[in-house]
Amino acid sequence: MRTAMENFGFFLSRAFASTKPRRRTWPYVPGSYFVSDPDAPVAVTTLGSVALAEAVSRNPPSGLCIVGKVETENIGIEKIVKNVLSNPAIRYLVCAGNEPPRHLTGATLLALFANGIDERKRIPGSPGMRPVLPNTSAAEVQAFREQVQPVDMIGCTDVSAIHARVAELTRSAAPATGPRFDRGREAGGETEVERVVAVGVDPRRIKLDEAGYFVIHVEGDALLVEHYDYREKLLRVIEGRDARSIYLTAVRNGWVSRLDHAAYFGKELARAEWCMKQGLPFVQDGA
């Protein structure tokens, strides 16, 4: 059974993480990638070895299409599936680098190739914490498994060895077949997720939080937050060493009652913490 925080994290991944195409050029789904040759047949994921991705991308061998990390066994893998499906040139996916603890994305990718997904969109046989692909259809997974072959180099962080494997695979790669997917389309023809253009709000039209407002201060190596009501009465002072402790305390005690106020409060606390750590003055922005 998942903990409360794991449930909350899973909710956030469902609500806010995007695996839908947004870019006009491939790779369509945004992420931390290094593209060498979009028409090449080999993609490489360095799993939890973040710096390794950039190292592999330098002086790439012929045949390297794209390289990037993947640290989560759900949204991260969904991005791989969708970007691979939108490029029929890719025939191999090399899984190299070290596994991210608990997420085990390499083992989860291999389980996906072996077992697909079940009716709950879980990946059978995965040892990861939450191996679920909520934004990916069974048709997409099947197309992904048919298009590319996995290459297990999990644990390898030797750039020259990875380059050599890419070159070897390139020599044996079958020609690409089929057209590249249209931007914004998925295998299986699922309905597009709504895309909304963000628009600011005139500050004069912002509704006040009935629970009061906060004034944030940096004092030495501490954050001090004064909580006032709208009669300017000081209700309490919250002290903490980091933004997370303070906003969780405020939320847990019901001292924030509006989502827009919570977003603003979290943003300003993060700015204040950064200024504190950098030794810079902090001036709170207006809502």
Side-chain angles (χ1 to χ4, degrees):
M1 181 177 295
R2 290 195 296 265
T3 66
M5 286 306 296
E6 286 177 334
N7 277 314
F8 181 63
F10 184 62
F11 161 75
L12 289 178
S13 74
R14 292 292 302 271
F16 299 112
S18 171
T19 57
K20 298 298 177 180
R22 291 171 181 262
R23 296 178 175 177
R24 295 184 181 277
T25 58
W26 188 86
Y28 298 133
V29 180
S32 299
Y33 315 125
F34 299 92
V35 178
S36 296
D37 179 1
D39 296 317
V42 184
V44 175
T45 174
T46 59
L47 306 177
S49 298
V50 177
L52 180 61
E54 184 175 3
V56 170
S57 73
R58 298 193 200 106
N59 302 312
S62 175
L64 179 62
C65 176
I66 185 173
V67 57
K69 66 180 178 65
V70 57
E71 298 181 86
T72 58
E73 74 282 27
N74 34 65
I75 296 299
I77 288 179
E78 287 191 310
K79 292 189 176 197
I80 288 179
V81 170
K82 292 175 188 293
N83 274 332
V84 166
L85 284 179
S86 63
N87 187 346
I90 299 174
R91 314 305 294 172
Y92 297 98
L93 176 63
V94 175
C95 298
N98 294 318
E99 287 275 37
R102 302 182 68 194
H103 296 286
L104 301 171
T105 52
T108 299
L109 274 166
L110 296 180
L112 179 66
F113 278 106
N115 306 316
I117 56 175
D118 62 19
E119 63 280 359
R120 297 177 297 165
K121 298 196 173 185
R122 296 186 66 86
I123 302 172
S126 165
M129 289 192 303
R130 295 186 298 277
V132 185
L133 307 184
N135 305 293
T136 304
S137 68
E140 287 178 292
V141 170
Q142 184 60 31
F144 175 71
R145 296 168 69 201
E146 293 173 357
Q147 178 179 327
V148 295
Q149 296 180 38
V151 179
D152 184 355
M153 294 187 72
I154 296 172
C156 177
T157 58
D158 184 334
V159 173
S160 61
I162 296 170
H163 281 180
R165 191 72 171 112
V166 169
E168 178 187 350
L169 293 167
T170 300
R171 290 191 291 269
S172 62
T177 58
R180 198 166 283 178
F181 281 17
D182 291 337
R183 183 171 66 87
R185 297 295 177 186
E186 297 180 357
E190 290 191 341
T191 304
E192 289 288 328
V193 167
E194 180 183 12
R195 295 180 63 182
V196 179
V197 176
V199 178
V201 177
D202 185 336
R204 292 170 296 184
R205 300 180 60 187
I206 293 176
K207 293 183 179 180
L208 299 178
D209 190 332
E210 294 180 356
Y213 66 93
F214 300 100
V215 178
I216 303 170
H217 304 277
V218 174
E219 292 195 3
D221 60 352
L223 300 174
L224 295 180
V225 177
E226 297 172 331
H227 187 201
Y228 291 89
D229 67 17
Y230 291 102
R231 292 170 294 183
E232 314 306 328
K233 179 182 178 181
L234 179 61
L235 302 174
R236 59 189 54 87
V237 176
I238 313 167
E239 179 177 355
R241 301 290 181 180
D242 59 88
R244 184 175 185 273
S245 298
I246 293 176
Y247 70 65
L248 287 177
T249 298
V251 170
R252 184 168 57 247
N253 287 282
W255 298 335
V256 182
S257 66
R258 291 183 56 87
L259 288 176
D260 52 359
H261 188 209
Y264 162 77
F265 185 42
K267 172 181 74 72
E268 289 304 294
L269 281 171
R271 287 184 58 245
E273 181 179 351
W274 185 84
C275 288
M276 177 183 70
K277 290 180 177 179
Q278 300 298 317
L280 299 174
F282 169 72
V283 179
Q284 185 171 344
D285 283 345

